[in-house]
Every structure is written in C-alpha cells, then in structure tokens.
Amino acid sequence: MPRSALLPALFVLCCIAAPAGAQFGEEPLAKDPLATSKGLPKKFAKLASVEFVVEPAKAKRGETVTARLKVTLKEGGGGYTYPFFPADTKQLGKNDLAAPLPVGDLVFIGTVADPPNPDTKQRDDAPSGVMDQIYKHLAVWEFKAVVSPNAKAGKSTVSLGKYTRLQVCDATNCYPARGDELPAATFEVLDGESDKIKPADLEEARKILNLPPPKPSAPDRGSVGALPPAPSGSANKAEVRKSAKPLDQYTDELRVIATNVLPPEEGSDFGGIKQTGLWAFIATAALWGLISLVTPCVFPMIPITVSIFLKQAHGSFGERLKLAGVYCLTIISVLGLSAFALLKFMAWLSAHPVTNVLLATLFLVLALSLFGMYELTLPNALQKRLQAKQSKGGVIGTVFGALAFTVISFTCVAPFLGGFAGISAGNEGSGSLIAVPTAKEIAGGLAFATAFAAPFFVLALVPGLMKALPKSGGWLDSVKAVMGFLELAAALKFLRTAELRVFPTTQYFTYDLVLGAWVAISAACGLYLLNVFRLPHDEEKPNIGVPRLLFALLFLGLALYLTPALFKGHDGKNQRPAGVVYAWVEAFLLPDPEEWPTDLNVAIEASKKSGKPVFVDFTGKTCTNCRYNEREVFSRPEFHSLFDQFELVQLYTDEVPSKAYATDPGHSARIEEADVNGRFLTAVFKDNTLPTYAVMITQPDGKVKVFKYPEGKINHPDQFATFLKDSLEKAKK
C-alpha cells in the first residue's frame, strides 16, 4: 500500500473497526440471561438415542469408576454413527473426542477405545471395495475416570464438554451434536475414606490436577490432597485453585444464585458517595477536545482556515457565520461519530487481542510518522478531488474542506481521542437510567468534537482574536516528537494487553520489559528536549526555552523515578516507588492480579458454614482500575483485617486466569466461564462496569441480600472501609 493511502485506511480502522457487540452486550436481557442450549438436536434424536452413565453410581474420593457413552441407533431409521479412532487414518467420517476431557468431579484418565466389531459402508467418492467403519445398531464407549480428590460430597454431574463432537448420519446427511448437548451423567460423591483406591489410577489423576504428593497427616476437610492455600500476602487463607466444572453446571449454579437475589435495598448511599455524573463526563470530553487543538497537525490550520472564511465571505458577517457554521458542523459530525464509536466499543477494544494488535500497529505507524520517518497524506487522486471541490467555495466547498481537514488532522487527534475513550472505559459506571451507555457516549462524543471545532467558529466571528494566538514555529516540531514518544509507549501497552489475552502468562511483552521500555522512552524524550539529538523534521536550534527545559527535566525525572521498579526486592517482587504516579503506571501496565478464589457457589456454601458474608470482586485481566485498587487499597493493613471477616471471591468477566485452576481447562473454557460471570453481573446489578464490588449475605430462607459499593475506582478508601463495616453489621442482624 502506498504511504499516501495509509492515513484513510488507519482512520477507518480506529474509528469503525469494532465488533457488533460490546463485552457483555447492551441489548435487553433475555428472560434467562444465563441460558445455554441443551438437549440433542431434533434430527439427531430422530435417528439415535444417547445415554451417558457412571458406574458405580456412588463412589468415594479417589476411587476409580467407569463412564459409559451408549449410542443406540433406532430401528428402521437407517442411521449410523462413526468411531472416534477409525483403523484407516484416511477415513474422513469420524467422531471427535476432546482431549483432554473436561476436568470436574471426575478426572478422566487412560485411553479410550472404539467398540469392537464395527459395521462397514462403501466410502463415498472412493473406488469400489474401499470401506469406512461405522456402527449401525449400537456403539458403547467406556471412559476410565477417578473421582477427584477435591470433589465435594453430594450429587454431581459430568459431561463430555462442548468440544466433543458426535454425529449420526442417514443416506443423505450427517447431524452433529456437541458433548454439552448430550445427556450428562449423574453420580454421587460419598464422604469418608476408601479402601478401593487404585494407587496407580489416583496418581495419574493427581498429575492431571497438578496436585502435590499427599501428606501423611490428615488432609484438610476430609479431602484427598487439598489444594494449596492462598499466598500469605492475600487477604485470607482460602483455597484459590479449583477444578474446572462443566459449563452447564457452572451456569446452573450462578442461575440459582441470581434467582435468589433480593432487590437491592433503597437508601444505602454509604457516606453519600456518588459516581461521576453526566456533566462531569461531558466536561472531561470537552477538555480532551481542546487539548487536541494544540498539536502540529491542527494548530497551524486554525488561522489559515479562518482566513479562508474571511476571504470567501467578502466582508459579509452573515456569510461568514454560515460558512463557519457549516465547517464546524461537518467536523462535529465526522469526529463526533468517531468519538462515539470508540466510547461505545472501548471496553471490548481494550480487551480483545486482535484489536489490541491492530491498535498497536496504528500507534506505531503514527509514531514513526511524527518522528519524521515518512509523511502520512491523502492519496493524490482523492486530494486533488477534495481540493477541486473545496476551491468552488460556498457550502459544498466548505463541507469538503472540513472533511479533508478532519482526516489529515487525525494523525495528531487519534491519541487524545483514544486516550479519552480508554480512560472513560475504565471509569466507574452507574446502574441508574441516567447512565444509559448510549446516551452518555453520544454526549461525550459530541462534547469532544464540539470543543475541537469551537475555535474555528469563534475566530470566524471575531477575527481580531487571532492576534492573540502564538505563532507557529519550531515548538510545534517539538510537540510532534513528544507525541511520537507517547504513541510509541501506548503501542507497547497495547501489545502487552494482547499477549495477556492470548497466553496464560506473558513471554515477550512482560511487565518488566514494557516498564523498562517506558523508562527508556521517557529518558529519550527528555534528552531530545535538551537537544542532545535531533529528528529529521527539526530545525537547527541550539538554544532551548524555559518551558522546554522544564518538560525535559520532567521526562528525565520520570525515568529515574520508575527505574527502581525494574529491580527486585528481598521478597522477589518488583520494588514499588512511593506515590500515585507509580501506582497509575503500574496499574496501566497490568501487573499480575492477586489470587483469590474464583467460584461464587463455593464461597456461598462456605459462608453458610462460617457465618461470614461474601465479598465479590467483579474484575478483569485487562482492567486498569482493578489493578490500581488491588495494589493501592486492598494492600493496606486495615483492609487485611476487614477482609478476614469475609469469604472472598473474584469473578473475572473477560477471561479467568489459568492459575485459578489446578489444571488449565484451556483458553476457550476460561473465556466461556468469564462470559457467564459477565452475564451474571449484568443480570443481578443491571451493570457491566469493572470493577464492581458487592457483598452478598445469605438469609436462612436461602434468599441473598446484595449491597453494591457505588465506586469502581476506589477514590475514598475510608468510605470503602465504612462500606465493609456496614456490611458486616447488616450480616449480624
């Protein structure tokens, strides 16, 4: 692609490249927001019946059982099914078995064999005599499994998981069914010690669960090989690692909890804390729009554009007013739509790995352009066409002039627009009707664009004010270079976010690497402002002014301030420079989250036994405000003692970290569980803000009282402490 075509392509990418849905969706909730598809597809059920059983139906922890999948083809239906592992590897028709199978209260071990004595059929599109293996009447598969050492006593269910595929066929078509659409097997976990344990089978199951060797002492709570406790630095000593549950079972558990939640109590303002209002949001958007004006792509164009208005108006105030109005309304429409799109989808954009890579590429391209490596311009053909339209003057020419200016200026405006959208995505939201996201985002987008366009209108009406504007010059080149450094830093952050969503742990864009790069970028920016080196577009200018010197010292000081965080302390963790600046840098670069339990149903059951209320932290792997609260608020000694009085649980709504499980169930399974958590958050609190903090208190009748803290980012730690104390008092009543 020629360089002249880069800018419109990047403009379209940043403004409109977003999926159809947000992270949890803004559409009205279905009657059952946690509903999932269940049951065999109708055409499948016409040809075959399926049974999945566990034998024996009752077993103790650590015992070996057999799970049988029985597919019976109905007489007269002409149906058949395939093996999972046909003898001929070239056979295309076969069933697919997920490997490894889901780990829940049953841990599948060993290998699976197809039933003996299969039938055969002529292979489609193959020479005569080339046969496929099939089953026309009955097929039974046996799976060897061990009852998990961490299984809780009581009824349990197990499925083959959604990534298993079973199909039945007739003479014309094949009809597939996922493992989670097949009947689930039910069995009962018995409490107590067992004398039927097969050591070799149990050892294999323990390896799958990544459990440590059993200790000679009595295991915790009667389980075989209890999971390791939470680290000593966490708020309590609860178990934090779990075995993955089948998705339908996990969904059913949260559905039951959501059904029992009582409406939130009225009048609980917890010290009168209120979230950021609509007007404050609009004012912030307008401020970012005004800041965007003082950029090298925009500022020089202000007097030039106003001069064109004055020339075309021929001294007529009315004509000048009309042209300025049309020009500004065009900018507001185009830029406002871009701002609205970013605000609308920023929560999704900030988490999706593909979009983060695209945004990192965009910011890298823009940074290199601002450094002077190349010039981003409109394609020649489009540029000539716009100039021809603009030269005609009048309303049409003014509209095309505004369109050209908006696209050209986007190189400098994009970082500020993206920065505002990113910050607003992390701000606390509200469940009230005034904070309907669409209305708020429209208002924010229009405020940003209106503030950006306003000076053109004002100066067209009062041309004398242009004399008060500072003259364009070398200082704008410095602004351009500084923006390039900032965009380069942003690109690294986007790449780290993308890797966090793709891999369980980062390997390339680690926290230390990106922080080190930020230190280097800050130091390089400071040295540039001191004229230690120059860039291609800079003029030779040996002397620097006082403002430039102060900014140079600011960037160099920031580099020195952040440097200690690159080194480890005696505890093996990064040192943490004091102050709010490092707190924000650390949170923005998304350090590893604290480890808390991640199963709400387990926390509620523990609450019934201990009498403690449940503190729920709705969080995300890529949530900046979540990391800020964890590092700056939750780490304070006074909150350690408060959290000790709660059953703690974290519910991730973008992706559950792999370290939350004893054995990683896979990327897709972790995202699906997080999606259920997100739908639970929306169903119970009519909100999808991250972070959201709530306390749940289970009543004797099984109903659950909920109290939601009104802030996302905790700006008032003392009021948050009051919220926790008040919740403890309510739990005692």
Side-chain angles (χ1 to χ4, degrees):
M1 181 184 291
R3 290 174 181 172
S4 61
L6 274 175
L7 183 58
L10 294 174
F11 175 75
V12 171
L13 168 66
C14 190
C15 295
I16 64 175
Q23 186 174 355
F24 309 112
E26 312 297 344
E27 296 81 6
L29 290 173
K31 291 182 179 179
D32 183 358
L34 301 179
T36 57
S37 60
K38 290 184 178 181
L40 289 173
K42 291 182 179 179
K43 292 184 178 180
F44 185 110
K46 287 182 178 180
L47 295 174
S49 61
V50 180
E51 184 181 9
F52 190 37
V53 298
V54 174
E55 297 178 354
K58 298 180 180 181
K60 296 181 179 180
R61 301 180 188 92
E63 291 184 351
T64 301
V65 298
T66 300
R68 287 188 175 85
L69 175 65
K70 180 179 180 181
V71 179
T72 304
L73 285 306
K74 296 183 178 179
E75 293 293 334
Y80 59 89
T81 189
Y82 287 105
F84 285 109
F85 312 103
D88 184 355
T89 57
K90 295 181 180 179
Q91 176 173 326
L92 298 180
K94 63 178 182 178
N95 294 320
D96 293 321
L97 185 65
L101 289 171
V103 176
D105 286 342
L106 281 188
V107 184
F108 291 90
I109 61 173
T111 58
V112 180
D114 288 312
N117 306 319
D119 300 302
T120 57
K121 68 177 283 288
Q122 171 67 40
R123 182 175 297 177
D124 296 336
D125 301 323
S128 176
V130 179
M131 311 297 285
D132 277 346
Q133 290 181 329
I134 61 172
Y135 299 98
K136 293 182 179 180
H137 305 289
L138 176 68
V140 181
W141 287 271
E142 293 190 353
F143 303 84
K144 191 176 181 181
V146 172
V147 180
S148 172
N150 301 301
K152 293 186 178 297
K155 298 284 187 179
S156 186
T157 60
V158 64
S159 78
L160 293 177
K162 68 182 299 181
Y163 297 109
T164 292
R165 293 290 188 273
L166 193 68
Q167 60 178 327
V168 294
C169 307
D170 56 21
T172 57
N173 288 302
C174 290
Y175 308 101
R178 299 192 312 266
D180 61 345
E181 293 175 320
L182 304 176
T186 60
F187 67 100
E188 184 176 352
V189 180
L190 301 177
D191 218 338
E193 298 289 338
S194 172
D195 56 0
K196 299 179 181 179
I197 292 177
K198 298 179 180 179
D201 291 349
L202 178 58
E203 181 61 24
E204 187 174 350
R206 295 174 65 82
K207 288 180 179 179
I208 294 175
L209 293 174
N210 196 27
L211 292 178
K215 296 180 180 180
S217 57
D220 184 31
R221 289 185 295 182
S223 65
V224 181
L227 296 176
S232 58
S234 63
N236 70 353
K237 306 293 183 182
E239 293 177 351
V240 295
R241 302 201 173 188
K242 63 182 181 182
S243 297
K245 298 177 180 178
L247 187 64
D248 54 353
Q249 176 187 343
Y250 184 77
T251 305
D252 286 341
E253 290 175 353
L254 289 192
R255 182 185 292 110
V256 171
I257 297 171
T259 303
N260 288 324
V261 168
L262 297 170
E265 292 187 0
E266 298 293 335
S268 298
D269 60 0
F270 296 102
I273 299 175
K274 295 183 178 179
Q275 298 177 6
T276 304
L278 182 62
W279 289 109
F281 181 77
I282 291 174
T284 304
L287 178 62
W288 281 82
L290 291 173
I291 294 174
S292 302
L293 291 167
V294 193
T295 58
C297 312
V298 179
F299 189 80
M301 295 298 298
I302 296 176
I304 296 174
T305 303
V306 174
S307 298
I308 294 174
F309 293 159
L310 297 176
K311 183 178 179 180
Q312 292 183 357
H314 303 293
S316 169
F317 178 80
E319 185 68 14
R320 195 164 74 234
L321 179 64
K322 181 178 73 173
L323 293 177
V326 170
Y327 191 88
C328 294
L329 286 175
T330 304
I331 292 177
I332 291 171
S333 300
V334 176
L335 196 58
L337 180 62
S338 304
F340 168 74
L342 278 180
L343 290 168
K344 180 72 175 175
F345 299 111
M346 198 60 197
W348 191 92
L349 288 171
S350 63
H352 197 281
V354 174
T355 324
N356 272 276
V357 171
L358 294 177
L359 289 174
T361 304
L362 169 66
F363 274 71
L364 181 61
V365 170
L366 294 177
L368 296 180
S369 173
L370 292 171
F371 287 150
M373 186 173 180
Y374 45 75
E375 188 75 21
L376 291 177
T377 61
L378 290 172
N380 291 331
L382 179 58
Q383 193 169 6
K384 290 179 180 179
R385 191 169 296 179
L386 288 174
Q387 288 175 347
K389 294 284 187 181
Q390 186 176 1
S391 63
K392 294 180 180 180
V395 173
I396 300 299
T398 303
V399 169
F400 278 94
L403 286 173
F405 168 71
T406 304
V407 175
I408 293 171
S409 66
F410 196 74
T411 303
C412 295
V413 176
F416 296 99
L417 182 55
F420 166 60
I423 290 175
S424 64
N427 281 346
E428 60 273 16
S430 172
S432 63
L433 294 177
I434 193 173
V436 173
T438 300
K440 191 172 184 179
E441 289 146 5
I442 290 175
L446 289 177
F448 183 98
T450 302
F452 180 82
F456 296 93
F457 188 79
V458 173
L459 291 174
L461 298 184
V462 191
L465 293 177
M466 284 194 293
K467 297 179 181 179
L469 294 177
K471 301 297 182 182
S472 301
W475 68 275
L476 281 176
D477 290 333
S478 301
V479 172
K480 183 185 293 187
V482 171
M483 288 181 58
F485 285 115
L486 296 177
E487 293 187 19
L488 187 60
L492 291 170
K493 193 270 181 184
F494 283 124
L495 289 173
R496 170 163 170 76
T497 302
E499 190 178 4
L500 278 171
R501 291 304 312 275
V502 174
F503 302 109
T505 58
T506 52
Q507 300 294 326
Y508 301 100
F509 295 95
T510 62
Y511 176 85
D512 290 342
L513 184 142
V514 177
L515 179 61
W518 276 28
V519 170
I521 289 171
S522 184
C525 186
L527 295 175
Y528 166 81
L529 292 173
L530 290 176
N531 280 338
V532 173
F533 63 92
R534 312 299 292 153
L535 292 171
H537 54 60
D538 290 322
E539 303 172 1
E540 291 297 330
K541 192 175 182 182
N543 297 324
I544 63 173
V546 174
R548 181 169 177 146
L549 173 63
L550 294 177
F551 275 105
L553 295 176
L554 179 65
F555 279 104
L556 289 173
L558 179 63
L560 291 174
Y561 170 73
L562 294 177
T563 298
L566 298 174
F567 300 95
K568 308 291 184 182
H570 295 297
D571 57 357
K573 298 181 179 180
N574 290 71
Q575 298 183 70
R576 304 185 73 250
V580 70
V581 174
Y582 178 73
W584 273 117
V585 169
E586 182 185 41
F588 195 67
L589 293 185
L590 303 172
D592 291 335
E594 297 296 326
E595 287 191 62
W596 281 11
T598 56
D599 192 315
L600 179 58
N601 190 63
V602 171
I604 287 180
E605 292 301 317
S607 172
K608 294 176 181 178
K609 296 178 181 178
S610 66
K612 298 179 180 179
V614 177
F615 178 81
V616 188
D617 172 9
F618 291 95
T619 185
K621 283 185 68 175
T622 57
C623 170
T624 296
N625 283 345
C626 303
R627 301 295 88 77
Y628 180 90
N629 291 343
E630 290 167 7
R631 299 300 176 105
E632 291 300 304
V633 180
F634 292 3
S635 60
R636 298 185 182 187
E638 62 267 30
F639 288 104
H640 286 183
S641 59
L642 282 171
F643 282 142
D644 280 340
Q645 302 175 64
F646 290 88
E647 299 291 345
L648 305 178
V649 64
Q650 282 180 321
L651 297 183
Y652 286 82
T653 61
D654 53 3
E655 176 188 341
V656 183
S658 59
K659 64 182 180 181
Y661 305 89
T663 300
D664 185 1
H667 188 242
S668 298
R670 291 188 278 111
I671 290 179
E672 289 167 346
E673 181 177 321
D675 180 64
V676 176
N677 292 338
R679 285 183 277 143
F680 176 78
L681 169 62
T682 306
V684 173
F685 297 101
K686 307 300 184 289
D687 192 7
N688 60 3
T689 299
L690 292 183
T692 290
Y693 301 118
V695 172
M696 292 187 166
I697 302 173
T698 304
Q699 305 296 297
D701 60 358
K703 297 297 183 181
V704 180
K705 284 188 176 182
V706 294
F707 305 96
K708 176 187 172 187
Y709 186 65
E711 289 184 311
K713 175 186 171 293
I714 300 174
N715 298 305
H716 306 85
D718 55 334
Q719 296 293 348
F720 181 64
T722 300
F723 165 76
L724 296 178
K725 293 174 183 176
D726 287 351
S727 300
L728 291 170
E729 290 298 322
K730 294 176 185 294
K732 296 176 182 177
K733 295 180 180 179

